[in-house]
Amino acid sequence: MAADEFLADPAELAVKLGRSEDDPKLLYALRAASRRFRGQVGHQVTLVTDDEETLDGNGRESVLLPVWPVTAVSAVVLSGTTLLEGTDYEWSEAGILRRLGCLHWPDRLRCLRVVYSHGWDGLDEVPGDIQEVVLERAEAGVNIPVGVQSQTVGGQSVTFGAQAATGSTEAWVKAVEKYKVRTSGDA
């Protein structure tokens, strides 16, 4: 199993569910919840090194890189010219790429090529709100039969809300919104 396959700790889910941390159903549910979160935010979440993006200029001093946290910027090329960090541009962990020297990025499409590294390096660095919603979704995946919203056994009846069955809880929606890939319109 790849170290960054899961966005939450299988041992934590195992304790919560009273199962073994190598239980195949538990691991499947956690893997599925991690894939679902990654798919909805549009990026890996865990560390990606030397990711290359072509960006549009916006006519402003700063552009936002699509994914944060940014851990390194190894190249910025503007219309074929390589820029120098500290002289031509600076960057922040929040994914802000700022032009220096009172200059602005040109207002042109696809004029900027950036090679940068982003994401959290290891499970212990993944933000707690991501881990929490992935654990909740995985728990629902183990406990709630697919497609079932209510179940009756003898005289007992249990109804699962549509949110629990689909995984679209308020916490999930907020986490996806917070960590999704940013577009140039987000600046």
Side-chain angles (χ1 to χ4, degrees):
M1 140 177 38
D4 63 354
E5 180 177 19
F6 302 118
L7 293 177
D9 188 353
E12 226 180 301
L13 184 58
V15 168
K16 191 172 188 179
L17 296 175
R19 292 177 175 247
S20 166
E21 67 182 82
D22 61 355
D23 178 291
K25 188 172 183 178
L26 178 143
L27 294 175
Y28 172 79
L30 189 54
R31 189 175 298 111
S34 296
R35 283 192 303 246
R36 181 176 180 179
F37 189 83
R38 285 179 168 124
Q40 289 189 8
V41 297
H43 62 93
Q44 187 65 24
V45 178
T46 51
L47 185 63
V48 174
T49 56
D50 293 330
D51 193 8
E52 186 172 325
E53 293 283 344
T54 299
L55 304 172
D56 299 333
N58 59 11
R60 296 186 221 156
E61 183 180 76
S62 298
V63 295
L64 286 177
L65 296 172
V67 182
W68 59 275
V70 173
T71 60
V73 174
S74 47
V76 175
V77 180
L78 177 60
S79 301
T81 302
T82 301
L83 303 181
L84 298 174
E85 182 178 350
T87 302
D88 299 315
Y89 72 92
E90 62 185 356
W91 60 274
S92 73
E93 183 180 287
I96 299 170
L97 190 62
R98 180 174 293 146
R99 196 71 201 267
L100 297 177
C102 299
L103 296 174
H104 292 77
W105 299 108
D107 190 7
R108 286 197 318 266
L109 300 177
R110 304 180 57 78
C111 65
L112 189 59
R113 185 176 65 84
V114 180
V115 179
Y116 73 114
S117 300
H118 55 80
W120 289 275
D121 190 12
L123 190 55
D124 52 338
E125 287 191 17
V126 172
D129 55 345
I130 292 176
Q131 292 189 47
E132 192 60 36
V133 297
V134 168
L135 286 170
E136 286 174 0
R137 180 65 235 150
E139 180 181 12
V142 170
N143 288 334
I144 300 173
V146 177
V148 173
Q149 289 193 1
S150 66
Q151 189 170 18
T152 303
V153 178
Q156 300 290 322
S157 177
V158 176
T159 302
F160 303 103
Q163 287 184 336
T166 64
S168 296
T169 62
E170 182 179 350
W172 180 276
V173 171
K174 284 182 178 181
V176 166
E177 181 64 26
K178 180 177 179 181
Y179 295 104
K180 73 178 182 176
V181 168
R182 300 184 292 205
T183 63
S184 58
D186 294 335

